[in-house]
Amino acid sequence: MLAVDDENGGVRWKQAVRLPAALLASPLALEQALVVADADGGLRSLGAADGSTLWEVALGAPVVAPPLSIGDRLFIADTAGAVHCRSVATGEVLWCVEHVEGEEFFTLCTDGAAIYAGGWNGRLHLLDARDGSSLQSLDLGGQILATTYAPVGRTIYATASHGALHALPTSGASEPPPGR
């Protein structure tokens, strides 16, 4: 992995960062760090300035959905059906919710108050971002392939493998400051 200056095209980091496994999800760019989750279930925070490892942890299962953050919290969903909440600064576990066997999360998004995780079983799980408690679980009738949050309409959009696009109201919870 390399960092390239968007103004002049020059390489920013002195050397490439070698990761033990492929990245199947886009990295999460934060103010001072880049968070990457890999195909072996590794999660790392790299210094934005030089690519140095700030912290690293093992999640235990591959990650295919890009990580996201709300304030000082980092959220990751893996293919073993777990949604992890960790400290952005240290990687420390704040909470972790494991779902039924066979669930594999492909997608993750947030409205700032709830986390929306969907995947293999066709269920969209809504979790409270503060503590991971279940707010709701919706059967969308096919594998959930993508989700996104539209703040203007306060709507979550989810696509399913059978070709349907679902428009769902947000959790309705009071929203903390927006995250990434």
Side-chain angles (χ1 to χ4, degrees):
M1 173 180 288
L2 286 172
V4 177
D5 188 315
D6 65 347
E7 290 183 21
N8 65 23
V11 176
R12 281 188 83 139
W13 295 347
K14 291 182 182 183
Q15 60 186 14
V17 173
R18 301 267 180 229
L19 300 170
L23 299 184
L24 303 176
S26 301
L28 172 64
L30 300 171
E31 187 77 23
Q32 300 295 320
L34 184 69
V35 177
V36 296
D38 68 39
D40 286 343
L43 181 69
R44 287 167 189 74
S45 178
L46 305 174
D50 61 5
S52 62
T53 299
L54 303 175
W55 54 259
E56 61 184 296
V57 297
L59 299 175
V63 175
V64 297
L68 55 92
S69 68
I70 301 172
D72 62 353
R73 292 174 175 230
L74 180 63
F75 300 92
I76 311 96
D78 66 33
T79 59
V83 177
H84 308 262
C85 177
R86 293 184 170 260
S87 164
V88 166
T90 65
E92 174 187 359
V93 175
L94 302 175
W95 55 258
C96 180
V97 175
E98 296 181 18
H99 290 83
V100 297
E101 191 174 321
E103 182 68 273
E104 295 180 31
F105 290 124
F106 303 150
T107 182
L108 189 67
C109 75
T110 184
D111 63 10
I115 303 301
Y116 300 78
W120 186 259
N121 287 344
R123 298 202 70 80
L124 185 63
H125 299 277
L126 287 68
L127 305 173
D128 189 308
R130 293 170 296 199
D131 60 13
S133 60
S134 178
L135 299 173
Q136 193 172 8
S137 179
L138 305 167
D139 185 353
L140 299 187
Q143 295 169 349
I144 301 169
L145 304 175
T147 56
T148 193
Y149 171 58
V152 173
R154 295 182 44 90
T155 303
I156 297 293
Y157 293 99
T159 61
S161 59
H162 58 9
L165 173 62
H166 301 269
L168 308 162
T170 61
S171 66
S174 127
E175 295 184 25
R180 289 177 170 68

